[in-house]
Each structure stands twice: as structure tokens, then as C-alpha cells.
Amino acid sequence: MEQTLVLLKPSCLERGLVGQVITRIQQRGIIISGIKMMQLDEKILREHYAHLVDKPFFPSLAASMMASPVIAMVLTGVEIVEVFRKMTGVTNGRKAEPGTLRGDFCMSGQANIIHASDSVENAKIEIARFFRPEEVFDYIPVTMPYIYGDGEA
Ligand code: UDP
Ligand code: MG
């Protein structure tokens, strides 16, 4: 099965939304394969947001990502990268569809509560950036036959 890297940003922790976001992940039938709290620093953020380091808003983005610890997760599921990007909603919370995490829980283009990998290739790179191999657990919930139909997973 496919995996994706998710970060619950300081805007998620500080606003007390962690439980609600994790509830939505689990109620969808998504497997949490790794989870930990981390304090991010400038070095990891320059790698993680390499596509944005030259933007004028990067210093403010980096500060917002270091304002408190984050919760990093590896999520597992069939087509999970695409499924979870759809659950996340578009970058600007004000434009995100109701029903998405950003569309239901935030009003900001920067403090948008969550990061989700945008491609299978980037997910692999990001998981390796945030997790050691032994921190990602290879288990299958007993409910699996009820999450997916025969032959789907
Ligand atoms: N961001 C921002 N201003 C912008 C664009 C992005 O502050 O104009 C922040 C925002 O927190 C976003 C992150 O930079 O989640 C990464 O940007 P990206 O374009 O990769 O969006 P995402 O994949 O998170 O939707
Ligand atoms: Mg992105």
C-alpha cells in the first residue's frame, strides 16, 4: 500500500485541533503507521519547503512552523497520497471546500493546520526526511477486510 507524510502544524496544535484531525483520519479507514512530536528547525524547513525558500514569505512561514512542536505522521492506504490531499483541501483555508480539513478548521493561507505530501515520489522523500525506518510500523489492522473490499488493498 501507498504511504504519505503528514504534519499537524503549530496552528493545529495551538488551536487544540489535533484530536479532531486524527479522528477524521481514523474514521476514514486510514492506517496511522508512524506518529511523533517534533520541534522543527530552519535546516529541515529549508529542505521541506525547498520550493519556497526564495519567496518573500519564507521567513514568516518558517517562523510559523517553528512556533511550537508539530506532530508528524506516516499514513498508509490505497492511493493515500491523492485521497489525503483531497481530504486536506487547497492551500488557502478560505478557499478550501467545506468538508476538507482546511475548509472546516482554518481561515488562513499560511496557518492552514496541516501538511500533506503532494505526490508519491515526494511522499517517499518526505517520510525519509522526518522518520527513521524503525519509527514506521508495518502492521495491518484486523478491520482491514471491512475497510477495503476483496482484492482492493
Ligand atoms: N504558504 C504561504 N503563502 C503562500 C503559499 C504557501 O504561507 O502564498 C505556506 C502554507 O503554509 C503552505 C506552505 O507554505 O501550506 C507550503 O506551500 P505549498 O504551495 O506547498 O502548499 P500545500 O502543499 O501545503 O497546499
Ligand atoms: Mg506542498
Side-chain angles (χ1 to χ4, degrees), residues 2-122:
E2 199 169 283
Q3 296 192 311
T4 194
L5 186 279
V6 169
L7 300 175
L8 304 186
K9 298 182 177 185
S11 48
C12 185
L13 271 73
E14 292 282 354
R15 294 181 53 226
L17 299 171
V18 171
Q20 291 187 77
V21 172
I22 290 177
T23 295
R24 293 234 198 157
I25 288 168
Q26 292 199 302
Q27 75 188 10
R28 185 84 192 262
I30 294 168
I31 302 167
I32 299 174
S33 298
I35 184 165
K36 64 176 175 179
M37 186 174 268
M38 298 173 74
Q39 175 61 51
L40 303 184
D41 60 20
E42 186 96 23
K43 181 178 177 287
I44 200 165
L45 285 165
R46 293 185 82 84
E47 288 173 18
H48 180 62
Y49 285 138
H51 60 301
L52 300 173
V53 282
D54 296 328
K55 302 278 187 199
F57 61 81
F58 181 77
S60 149
L61 169 62
S64 78
M65 292 295 289
M66 297 187 288
S68 81
V70 301
I71 290 174
M73 289 188 279
V74 176
L75 302 184
T76 302
V78 175
E79 295 167 11
I80 188 64
V81 171
E82 185 189 344
V83 165
F84 201 74
R85 284 291 285 194
K86 279 204 181 126
M87 275 177 75
T88 298
V90 298
T91 306
N92 185 335
R94 295 188 296 281
K95 310 261 187 256
E97 290 289 325
T100 64
L101 292 162
R102 286 171 173 164
D104 286 352
F105 292 126
C106 74
M107 283 290 284
S108 170
Q110 178 176 89
N112 55 7
I113 76 162
I114 195 160
H115 165 82
S117 305
D118 63 5
S119 69
V120 175
E121 188 192 358
N122 281 339

